[in-house]
């Protein structure tokens, strides 16, 4: 007997990928509602802001930024380095999240239900823990390279 | 002669876990010293404490100068994970950054960066981003970033971790050709034999043995006790 796993349709896969984002939008909206600032368009706005940020990230002329650095001009250099740090960290966060969620998918029997939700919560916490540990090492490396001078 | 590194009674704990307990060492300029030990023996912690990255007790002097608020300019550290060091859109920009931070002219900083990349055999990839390279190339790029500022003391934290045999051989032939004092923390014994003349064996946060690398590597009971074989 040959067993073959059926691949879910494209739309289902896209919806699954968008689930964490939708969850984030819902939590944000819930917090707003609890604070008495009910804005039904908030999740849509959040999603659009994310999309816009993603498009900007893709179109931004990152390679030109380092050429704008000038020695001894902290006010000019700090925003440039800050943008480059953000870009680096977005990549780290994305990479760590991808690895952890792939590991979670391989480890859990069911992605839904209480156990699935528990593993999702642990995975999100682990992403932030790992990213913090890497941030500490990154900060140390940049401090040694004179970033604070 | 002033030692390149002088450490007296260095201690550091992570909460209740003592990582280093009263370590004292002296390293002469130009020496190539290995720091060997099993995982969790305190190798990386020692390197971090030598550069003031962790608030340890005891005294550390780099070329006779006590550690201050600023990082020691005459020393550089190559991190275990090259991504901790490399974040610019090109290797040349990454290698030039330390010099720009220190007020060097951009043209001269870029020339020094290209020279450092040439020293590690990556001059052809100067315009590439670190994420587009293999791990072996990224490790060499991280060394180039450290070398660009012409450090007299180079510290390398697990430089062979996750590398394949060919990349380890490339590193083994690269390091002895570099000038200055080197401290290499690793548990890769063949690599230690190739690149160092003296080895400190760490275990439980203390120095178990300090001697010529060839003698240390021939002392099997010691290597077993240190968890190295």
């Amino acid at each position: 007997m040959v067993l073959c796993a059926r691949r879910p349709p494209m739309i289902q896969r896209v919806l699954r990928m968008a689930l964490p984002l939708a969850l984030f939008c819902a939590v944000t909206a819930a917090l707003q509602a609890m604070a008495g600032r009910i804005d039904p368009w908030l999740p849509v706005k959040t999603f659009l802001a994310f999309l816009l940020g993603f498009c900007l990230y893709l179109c931004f002329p990152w390679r030109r930024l380092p050429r704008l650095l000038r020695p001894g001009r902290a006010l000019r250099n700090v925003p440039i380095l800050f943008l480059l740090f953000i870009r680096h960290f977005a990549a780290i966060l994305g990479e760590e999240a991808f690895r952890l969620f792939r590991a979670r998918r391989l480890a859990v029997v069911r992605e839904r239900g209480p156990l699935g939700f528990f593993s999702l919560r642990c995975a999100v916490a682990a992403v932030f823990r790992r990213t913090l540990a890497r941030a500490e090492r990154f900060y140390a490396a940049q401090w040694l390279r004179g970033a604070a001078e | 002669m002033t030692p390149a590194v002088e450490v007296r009674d260095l201690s550091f704990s992570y909460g209740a876990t003592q990582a280093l307990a009263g370590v004292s060492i002296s390293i002469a300029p130009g020496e190539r010293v290995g720091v060997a030990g099993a995982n969790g023996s305190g190798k990386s912690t020692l390197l971090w404490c030598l550069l003031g990255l962790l608030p340890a007790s005891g005294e550390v002097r780099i070329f006779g100068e006590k550690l201050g608020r600023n990082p020691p300019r005459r020393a550089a550290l190559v991190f275990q994970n090259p991504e901790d060091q490399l974040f610019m859109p090109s290797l040349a920009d990454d290698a030039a950054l330390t010099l720009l931070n220190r007020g060097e002219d951009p043209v001269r900083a870029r020339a020094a960066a290209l020279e450092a990349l040439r020293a590690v055999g990556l001059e052809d990839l100067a315009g590439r981003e670190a994420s587009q390279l293999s791990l072996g190339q990224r490790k060499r790029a991280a060394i180039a970033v450290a070398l660009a500022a012409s450090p007299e003391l180079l510290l390398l934290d697990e430089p062979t971790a996750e590398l394949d045999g060919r990349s380890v051989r490339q590193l083994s032939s690269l390091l002895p050709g570099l000038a200055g004092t080197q401290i290499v923390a690793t548990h890769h014994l063949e690599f230690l034999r190739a690149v160092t003349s003296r080895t400190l064996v760490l275990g439980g946060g203390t120095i178990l043995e300090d001697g010529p690398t060839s003698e240390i590597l021939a002392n099997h009971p010691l290597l077993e006790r240190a968890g190295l074989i």
Side-chain angles (χ1 to χ4, degrees):
Chain A
M1 188 171 67
V2 179
L3 291 173
C4 60
R6 233 183 69 216
R7 201 171 157 81
M10 177 70 174
I11 183 77
Q12 201 176 327
R13 278 183 281 144
V14 170
L15 283 176
R16 266 191 203 173
M17 279 160 59
L19 188 70
L21 188 61
L23 197 70
F24 172 71
C25 294
V27 170
T28 317
L31 288 174
Q32 288 275 319
M34 279 194 291
R37 293 177 191 152
I38 300 166
D39 180 357
W41 290 103
L42 188 70
V44 179
K45 285 184 201 166
T46 311
F47 189 72
L48 287 177
F50 176 81
L51 270 187
L52 184 69
F54 190 64
C55 291
L56 274 176
Y57 176 85
L58 290 181
C59 304
F60 201 81
W62 297 106
R63 293 187 76 85
R64 287 191 205 156
L65 275 188
R67 304 291 164 93
L68 303 175
L69 290 169
R70 294 288 177 271
R73 304 261 305 265
L75 280 178
R76 181 191 175 105
N77 294 347
V78 167
I80 296 171
L81 287 175
F82 179 74
L83 280 175
L84 289 165
F85 289 170
I86 292 289
R87 171 178 176 268
H88 184 65
F89 263 93
I92 287 179
L93 193 63
E95 182 194 312
E96 289 286 352
F98 177 74
R99 277 173 23 196
L100 261 163
F101 285 108
R102 188 175 51 186
R104 173 183 167 264
R105 198 172 305 140
L106 290 172
V108 297
V109 181
R110 291 189 58 170
E111 289 189 40
R112 295 187 196 92
L115 269 180
F117 182 70
F118 176 71
S119 66
L120 179 70
R121 208 178 63 191
C122 292
V124 170
V127 166
F128 282 100
R129 259 200 322 272
R130 284 189 191 185
T131 311
L132 273 178
R134 287 182 73 167
E136 189 186 23
R137 293 200 304 266
F138 180 72
Y139 173 76
Q142 303 317 318
W143 181 76
L144 279 178
R145 294 171 72 186
E149 285 180 39
Chain B
M1 194 196 299
T2 310
V5 178
E6 194 159 28
V7 177
R8 278 196 206 134
D9 207 21
L10 190 72
S11 298
F12 181 78
S13 323
Y14 292 102
T17 311
Q18 184 89 33
L20 295 174
V23 170
S24 296
I25 42 175
S26 180
I27 295 171
E31 255 193 306
R32 296 172 200 283
V33 179
V35 179
N39 294 334
S41 59
K43 302 187 296 290
S44 300
T45 306
L46 176 63
L47 297 194
W48 279 53
C49 289
L50 290 182
L51 297 179
L53 291 169
L54 291 172
S57 64
E59 190 179 278
V60 177
R61 286 178 185 270
I62 303 292
F63 294 104
E65 289 175 21
K66 273 179 115 174
L67 292 178
R69 283 174 63 84
N70 287 326
R73 283 191 167 205
R74 296 167 78 178
L77 171 65
V78 179
F79 284 69
Q80 182 174 345
N81 184 351
E83 283 160 26
D84 294 335
Q85 283 173 271
L86 311 170
F87 71 102
M88 299 287 261
S90 77
L91 296 184
D93 293 326
D94 249 318
L97 183 65
T98 314
L99 292 168
L100 289 176
N101 280 336
R102 292 177 180 175
E104 187 65 78
D105 170 66
V107 177
R108 264 185 285 175
R110 204 165 169 80
L114 291 176
E115 187 56 44
L117 287 167
R118 192 170 300 122
V120 299
L122 290 178
E123 68 270 34
D124 296 338
L125 303 175
R128 297 272 284 274
E129 189 168 349
S131 59
Q132 299 168 339
L133 308 179
S134 70
L135 182 63
Q137 288 171 327
R138 268 184 277 164
K139 290 254 184 188
R140 282 190 283 147
I143 294 174
V145 165
L147 290 179
S150 311
E152 293 161 70
L153 170 65
L154 184 64
L155 295 91
L156 298 105
D157 190 4
E158 299 282 7
T160 59
E162 298 172 57
L163 287 187
D164 58 30
R166 188 174 53 182
S167 302
V168 172
R169 279 199 303 278
Q170 281 175 336
L171 266 188
S172 304
S173 55
L174 168 70
L175 292 182
L178 303 176
T181 313
Q182 287 173 20
I183 304 179
V184 183
T186 182
H187 50 240
H188 195 303
L189 301 182
E190 283 312 307
F191 185 71
L192 273 180
R193 195 192 302 278
V195 302
T196 65
S197 54
R198 173 185 165 195
T199 294
L200 313 169
V201 181
L202 273 184
T206 58
I207 293 181
L208 301 176
E209 193 65 65
D210 177 359
T213 301
S214 53
E215 286 179 21
I216 296 276
L217 295 185
N219 188 344
H220 287 253
L222 168 71
L223 297 179
E224 207 164 325
R225 189 156 54 100
L228 287 162
I229 54 172

